[in-house]
Amino acid sequence: STVSCADIITLATRDAVVLAEGPSYKSPTGQRDGVVSNPNEVNLPGPSFSVSQALQAFTAKGMTLNDMVTLLGAHTVGVAHCSFFDDRLSNFQGTGSPDPSMDPALVTKLKNMCAGPNDPTAFLDQKTSFAFDNEYYNQVNLKRGVMQIDQELSLDKSTAGIVSGFASNGGRFSQSFATAMLKMGSLQDGNAGEIRKNCRVFN
Ligand code: HEM
């Protein structure tokens, strides 16, 4: 009853980042687990949010614009299901055409992939999909962001400069990522919660 399930996930994330050759950082422990697990109460930003809508979700938790652009850099690994971005591939916002901010070659590739059954997935970083690096930022600058929120980061005036900074300086991204992960990992609701005995259920 000392190490929480939240701590275990935080530590596993830290190790996953290192295994993908990303930055190493010292994760704090001491987070408590929630006493409610209700999907109806989950309130996350969506993949088609604008930068300012997404920012509201982050600032509500005390995170900054720089933190948000940094943490979205985690989309340098992993996948998204087509249902989270296929609105961009045809008839985008009722225009009858794909999202003009997506490279037409990527539109074609993703359309083919997404034609398969059971909601297929696509790599979020189309170039170095398995490496935790700063390539995500280069890709969005090349109009090769998969989800709308990813692409918006390179288009919105408030974030374009941060994106270019990380695209040209991997070391700066690594440092910023470590700092932002530590900050996100220490958001705490006082002494609320508990240390679960079984991670699947509250005590
Ligand atoms: C505005 C904020 C964010 C939005 C809208 C967003 C949205 C999404 C969506 C829709 C997916 C695809 C899920 C699926 O198809 O199963 C995804 C995947 C992912 N996200 Fe985010 N995300 C956000 C922020 C973050 C942050 C802060 C992190 C971590 C620091 C993160 C890390 C990841 C990773 C690693 C994946 C790949 C998961 C996998 O391969 O299964 N995202 N995100």
Side-chain angles (χ1 to χ4, degrees):
S1 297
T2 305
V3 180
S4 68
C5 302
D7 286 339
I8 292 170
I9 293 171
T10 303
L11 296 171
T13 303
R14 175 201 63 188
D15 291 349
V17 170
V18 171
L19 287 169
E21 288 167 23
S24 177
Y25 50 89
K26 274 197 155 197
S27 291
T29 51
Q31 284 291 65
R32 294 164 71 80
D33 300 315
V35 288
V36 186
S37 283
N38 184 346
N40 299 322
E41 290 186 7
V42 175
N43 186 12
L44 286 169
S48 304
F49 272 30
S50 66
V51 168
S52 66
Q53 286 172 322
L55 181 60
Q56 279 178 24
F58 279 77
T59 49
K61 300 284 179 198
M63 306 295 282
T64 66
L65 185 69
N66 195 75
D67 293 332
M68 181 176 90
V69 177
T70 301
L71 291 171
L72 273 160
H75 289 173
T76 180
V77 291
V79 299
H81 289 82
C82 290
S83 51
F84 288 119
F85 59 83
D86 59 6
D87 59 313
R88 303 184 66 207
L89 306 180
S90 53
N91 198 19
F92 177 63
Q93 296 178 347
T95 55
S97 312
D99 185 341
S101 71
M102 187 187 282
D103 172 1
L106 182 59
V107 171
T108 305
K109 179 180 175 190
L110 295 177
K111 259 189 186 165
N112 284 332
M113 285 189 48
C114 291
N118 304 324
D119 199 4
T121 57
F123 292 121
L124 287 165
D125 173 348
Q126 286 283 313
K127 189 155 181 212
T128 57
S129 314
F130 293 99
F132 199 102
D133 56 14
N134 63 337
E135 185 58 32
Y136 163 85
Y137 298 102
N138 284 311
Q139 291 296 302
V140 297
N141 275 341
L142 294 169
K143 303 175 78 171
R144 294 180 66 84
V146 171
M147 295 190 293
Q148 201 177 329
I149 183 63
D150 298 316
Q151 193 54 59
E152 287 293 320
L153 293 184
S154 80
L155 301 172
D156 195 284
K157 280 197 206 74
S158 69
T159 48
I162 309 175
V163 167
S164 293
F166 290 151
S168 63
N169 189 336
R172 193 196 299 177
F173 166 60
S174 287
Q175 269 198 345
S176 190
F177 187 77
T179 307
M181 285 297 277
L182 295 185
K183 186 169 168 188
M184 188 165 64
S186 25
L187 301 174
Q188 181 109 255
D189 187 10
N191 204 30
E194 63 184 12
I195 294 175
R196 290 190 189 181
K197 295 189 192 307
N198 173 350
C199 291
R200 289 167 183 268
V201 287
F202 38 84
N203 297 341

